[in-house]
Amino acid sequence: MKKIEHIGIAVKSIEVANETYAKLLGVQHYKIESVESEKVNTSFFQVGPNKIELLESTDPDGVIAKFIEKKGEGLHHIAIAVDDVRAEMKRLHEAGFTLLNQEPKRGADNKLICFVHPKNSHGVLLELCQEIK
Ligand code: ZN
C-alpha cells in the first residue's frame, strides 16, 4: 500500500460543509462529483499531498444517510492508495478481512475502489483505491 489517499467525512449538507472546509483549510474544493452507485455527492479538497472527501447522501436510505443517522456527521473512512486493487483485495480476503464488495467498484475522483469492513480494522472503515489510468 502506498499512502493515505484521502479521508472521507460524512456531512449532512455538502454546500454547508464546503464553506466550512474552505474557511478551515484556506482553499476551495477542486471538484464536486456524484457517485450514483453509492448514492452520494462528493467534494474534494487538496491539503498538501493529501485530500479530504466530503460525502453527502442523495438518498434517505443511502449508506451515508444511515451513517449520519446512527453516528452523526464525522469521520467516515480512510482511503489508502494501492497500485493493484484486485491484488490487495485478494491478499486481504486471504488474510481474513471482510470486503464489502467482491469486485472493485468505480468510485469518485477516477478511482477503482473496494471497502474493507470496519469490524476487522478496529472500527475504521477502509477504502482501497487504485487510480484509473
Ligand atoms: Zn473515499
Side-chain angles (χ1 to χ4, degrees):
M1 298 196 178
K2 299 204 295 190
K3 61 163 190 172
I4 291 176
E5 214 282 333
H6 64 266
I7 291 172
I9 298 173
V11 303
K12 286 182 189 162
S13 159
I14 215 157
E15 213 184 307
V16 173
N18 269 342
E19 270 185 45
T20 308
Y21 274 83
K23 227 183 274 173
L24 196 145
L25 300 169
V27 288
Q28 295 293 326
H29 62 276
Y30 68 88
K31 174 189 262 192
I32 286 191
E33 192 179 339
S34 295
V35 185
E36 238 151 75
S37 59
E38 300 293 299
K39 298 177 180 160
V40 290
N41 292 323
T42 66
S43 117
F44 283 87
F45 288 82
Q46 187 75 46
V47 193
N50 304 111
K51 294 174 196 161
I52 287 179
E53 173 187 37
L54 304 179
L55 302 130
E56 164 197 76
S57 191
T58 56
D59 182 322
D61 290 324
V63 287
I64 293 300
K66 291 208 169 119
F67 176 89
I68 289 176
E69 213 176 279
K70 239 164 78 183
K71 301 188 173 175
E73 292 184 297
L75 181 62
H76 181 257
H77 65 271
I78 294 177
I80 300 172
V82 299
D83 283 323
D84 182 343
V85 72
R86 283 191 170 81
E88 289 296 347
M89 287 169 70
K90 184 168 182 288
R91 185 178 72 80
L92 293 180
H93 175 72
E94 285 168 4
F97 290 89
T98 305
L99 305 177
L100 292 183
N101 44 297
Q102 300 317 308
E103 277 297 309
K105 293 194 282 194
R106 200 168 177 124
D109 207 26
N110 201 38
K111 300 282 190 297
L112 277 178
I113 64 168
C114 176
F115 284 102
V116 183
H117 199 289
K119 74 179 178 190
N120 301 128
S121 43
H122 302 267
V124 179
L125 176 66
L126 295 174
E127 174 189 342
L128 310 174
C129 58
Q130 174 191 341
E131 185 99 40
I132 301 170
K133 300 235 162 75

